[in-house]
Amino acid sequence: MKKKIIISLTTFRGQCVEAVHYYVSVEYYDSCNDFRNDKIRRPITQQEIDSNGDRFYLYEAGEPTECFNSWQEAIEAATGYITTNDLKGDVFVDGVPNRGTLTLEQALSPELDTRKKCSKCGKVFGAGEGLYNFPSGALCVQCYKSSKK
Protein backbone atom coordinates (compact mmCIF):
# COMPACT_ATOMS: atom_id res chain seq x y z
CA MET A 1 0.00 0.00 0.00
CA LYS A 2 1.37 3.42 -1.01
CA LYS A 3 1.86 6.07 1.62
CA LYS A 4 -0.38 9.12 1.60
CA ILE A 5 1.20 12.53 1.74
CA ILE A 6 -1.15 15.41 2.49
CA ILE A 7 -0.35 19.01 1.59
CA SER A 8 -2.52 20.91 4.05
CA LEU A 9 -3.35 24.54 3.22
CA THR A 10 -4.82 27.00 5.67
CA THR A 11 -5.88 30.57 5.07
CA PHE A 12 -6.15 33.46 7.48
CA ARG A 13 -8.05 36.61 6.59
CA GLY A 14 -7.16 39.51 8.88
CA GLN A 15 -9.18 42.56 9.80
CA CYS A 16 -8.19 44.29 6.58
CA VAL A 17 -9.90 42.87 3.47
CA GLU A 18 -6.58 42.67 1.63
CA ALA A 19 -4.85 40.82 4.49
CA VAL A 20 -4.97 37.21 3.37
CA HIS A 21 -2.28 34.84 4.62
CA TYR A 22 -1.67 31.33 3.28
CA TYR A 23 0.09 28.64 5.28
CA VAL A 24 1.05 25.10 4.32
CA SER A 25 2.27 21.93 5.97
CA VAL A 26 3.16 18.48 4.70
CA GLU A 27 1.67 15.59 6.67
CA TYR A 28 2.90 12.01 6.34
CA TYR A 29 4.19 8.98 8.20
CA ASP A 30 7.98 8.67 8.09
CA SER A 31 10.05 5.48 7.74
CA CYS A 32 9.73 4.83 11.51
CA ASN A 33 5.95 5.10 11.13
CA ASP A 34 5.89 8.33 13.16
CA PHE A 35 3.39 10.97 12.05
CA ARG A 36 5.04 14.13 10.75
CA ASN A 37 3.43 17.51 10.26
CA ASP A 38 6.15 19.73 8.83
CA LYS A 39 5.36 23.42 8.40
CA ILE A 40 6.80 24.84 5.22
CA ARG A 41 8.71 28.12 5.31
CA ARG A 42 10.20 30.43 2.75
CA PRO A 43 12.68 33.31 2.95
CA ILE A 44 11.11 36.76 3.03
CA THR A 45 12.35 39.25 0.44
CA GLN A 46 13.44 42.85 0.94
CA GLN A 47 10.81 43.88 -1.60
CA GLU A 48 8.05 42.40 0.60
CA ILE A 49 9.42 44.19 3.66
CA ASP A 50 9.61 47.50 1.80
CA SER A 51 6.16 47.22 0.21
CA ASN A 52 4.33 45.96 3.30
CA GLY A 53 6.13 47.40 6.32
CA ASP A 54 3.14 47.07 8.66
CA ARG A 55 3.00 43.33 8.06
CA PHE A 56 6.72 42.50 7.97
CA TYR A 57 8.28 45.21 10.16
CA LEU A 58 10.00 42.68 12.45
CA TYR A 59 11.63 40.74 9.60
CA GLU A 60 14.95 41.07 7.86
CA ALA A 61 15.44 39.91 4.29
CA GLY A 62 16.17 36.18 4.12
CA GLU A 63 14.49 35.30 7.42
CA PRO A 64 12.04 32.41 7.20
CA THR A 65 8.31 33.02 7.27
CA GLU A 66 5.45 30.52 7.17
CA CYS A 67 3.29 33.01 5.27
CA PHE A 68 2.85 32.64 1.51
CA ASN A 69 1.37 35.14 -0.93
CA SER A 70 -0.99 32.67 -2.64
CA TRP A 71 -2.21 29.13 -2.16
CA GLN A 72 -0.51 28.19 -5.45
CA GLU A 73 2.85 29.46 -4.16
CA ALA A 74 2.31 27.45 -0.97
CA ILE A 75 1.59 24.25 -2.94
CA GLU A 76 4.71 24.77 -5.06
CA ALA A 77 6.83 25.17 -1.90
CA ALA A 78 5.31 22.02 -0.38
CA THR A 79 5.96 20.12 -3.60
CA GLY A 80 9.58 21.26 -3.46
CA TYR A 81 9.80 20.03 0.13
CA ILE A 82 8.43 16.62 -0.91
CA THR A 83 10.96 16.38 -3.75
CA THR A 84 13.92 17.60 -1.66
CA ASN A 85 13.15 15.11 1.11
CA ASP A 86 12.55 12.28 -1.38
CA LEU A 87 9.10 11.50 0.04
CA LYS A 88 7.33 8.78 -1.90
CA GLY A 89 3.58 8.22 -2.01
CA ASP A 90 0.30 9.50 -3.32
CA VAL A 91 0.10 13.26 -2.80
CA PHE A 92 -3.19 14.97 -1.98
CA VAL A 93 -3.94 18.64 -1.34
CA ASP A 94 -6.45 19.69 1.28
CA GLY A 95 -7.61 23.29 1.60
CA VAL A 96 -7.63 24.64 -1.95
CA PRO A 97 -10.18 27.49 -1.81
CA ASN A 98 -13.74 26.33 -2.52
CA ARG A 99 -12.67 22.78 -3.30
CA GLY A 100 -12.44 19.55 -1.33
CA THR A 101 -9.41 17.33 -1.16
CA LEU A 102 -7.71 17.05 -4.55
CA THR A 103 -4.84 15.08 -6.00
CA LEU A 104 -1.68 17.12 -6.52
CA GLU A 105 -2.23 17.00 -10.29
CA GLN A 106 -5.77 18.39 -9.93
CA ALA A 107 -4.60 21.15 -7.57
CA LEU A 108 -1.87 22.24 -10.01
CA SER A 109 -4.16 22.17 -13.07
CA PRO A 110 -4.39 25.58 -14.79
CA GLU A 111 -8.07 24.83 -15.49
CA LEU A 112 -8.92 24.47 -11.79
CA ASP A 113 -11.91 26.65 -10.93
CA THR A 114 -11.80 27.90 -7.32
CA ARG A 115 -14.70 30.34 -7.51
CA LYS A 116 -17.26 29.92 -4.73
CA LYS A 117 -20.36 28.15 -6.10
CA CYS A 118 -23.73 26.97 -4.84
CA SER A 119 -23.33 23.33 -3.83
CA LYS A 120 -26.83 22.54 -5.12
CA CYS A 121 -27.23 24.36 -8.47
CA GLY A 122 -23.61 25.31 -9.23
CA LYS A 123 -24.27 29.05 -9.56
CA VAL A 124 -21.08 31.10 -9.20
CA PHE A 125 -21.38 33.74 -6.46
CA GLY A 126 -20.61 37.32 -7.39
CA ALA A 127 -18.70 39.75 -5.19
CA GLY A 128 -20.83 40.76 -2.22
CA GLU A 129 -23.69 38.46 -3.21
CA GLY A 130 -25.64 36.89 -0.37
CA LEU A 131 -25.25 33.19 0.34
CA TYR A 132 -25.89 30.64 3.08
CA ASN A 133 -22.69 28.90 4.14
CA PHE A 134 -22.94 25.42 5.69
CA PRO A 135 -20.30 22.76 6.48
CA SER A 136 -21.75 20.73 3.59
CA GLY A 137 -21.31 23.67 1.20
CA ALA A 138 -22.72 27.07 0.31
CA LEU A 139 -26.25 27.59 -1.00
CA CYS A 140 -27.50 30.49 -3.08
CA VAL A 141 -30.53 32.34 -1.75
CA GLN A 142 -32.85 30.66 -4.27
CA CYS A 143 -31.71 27.12 -3.39
CA TYR A 144 -31.87 27.89 0.33
CA LYS A 145 -35.42 29.20 0.03
CA SER A 146 -36.53 26.22 -2.08
CA SER A 147 -35.05 23.79 0.48
CA LYS A 148 -37.15 25.43 3.25
CA LYS A 149 -40.48 24.74 1.46
Side-chain angles (χ1 to χ4, degrees):
M1 183 167 128
K2 273 188 160 181
K3 285 186 181 183
K4 281 187 184 178
I5 301 168
I6 306 292
I7 296 173
S8 182
L9 296 166
T10 55
T11 305
F12 172 78
R13 187 174 301 272
Q15 292 179 339
C16 176
V17 174
E18 297 85 28
V20 179
H21 309 241
Y22 300 92
Y23 301 91
V24 65
S25 62
V26 176
E27 302 169 356
Y28 61 98
Y29 284 92
D30 65 15
S31 58
C32 298
N33 221 23
D34 292 328
F35 181 75
R36 301 283 307 259
N37 183 350
D38 297 335
K39 293 180 180 180
I40 307 303
R41 294 172 177 80
R42 66 173 182 87
I44 195 159
T45 66
Q46 187 62 50
Q47 180 182 3
E48 288 175 295
I49 295 168
D50 293 342
S51 67
N52 202 341
D54 290 345
R55 182 174 177 187
F56 297 117
Y57 69 94
L58 292 175
Y59 286 91
E60 291 189 30
E63 283 189 73
T65 180
E66 294 176 5
C67 178
F68 289 85
N69 296 312
S70 71
W71 61 267
Q72 296 95 332
E73 181 183 293
I75 290 175
E76 289 171 5
T79 303
Y81 175 88
I82 291 167
T83 302
T84 300
N85 289 285
D86 200 29
L87 301 178
K88 304 288 186 212
D90 294 326
V91 181
F92 297 92
V93 180
D94 186 35
V96 173
N98 303 315
R99 302 299 289 207
T101 300
L102 305 171
T103 64
L104 180 59
E105 293 76 23
Q106 291 170 326
L108 294 176
S109 171
E111 291 85 34
L112 181 64
D113 186 359
T114 59
R115 297 176 297 172
K116 190 144 190 97
K117 300 175 188 170
C118 176
S119 59
K120 188 170 183 182
C121 72
K123 175 186 183 294
V124 175
F125 295 109
E129 183 176 355
L131 61 97
Y132 293 86
N133 210 7
F134 299 98
S136 60
L139 291 177
C140 66
V141 173
Q142 184 175 348
C143 288
Y144 177 76
K145 286 181 179 179
S146 69
S147 71
K148 293 306 231 182
K149 291 180 182 177

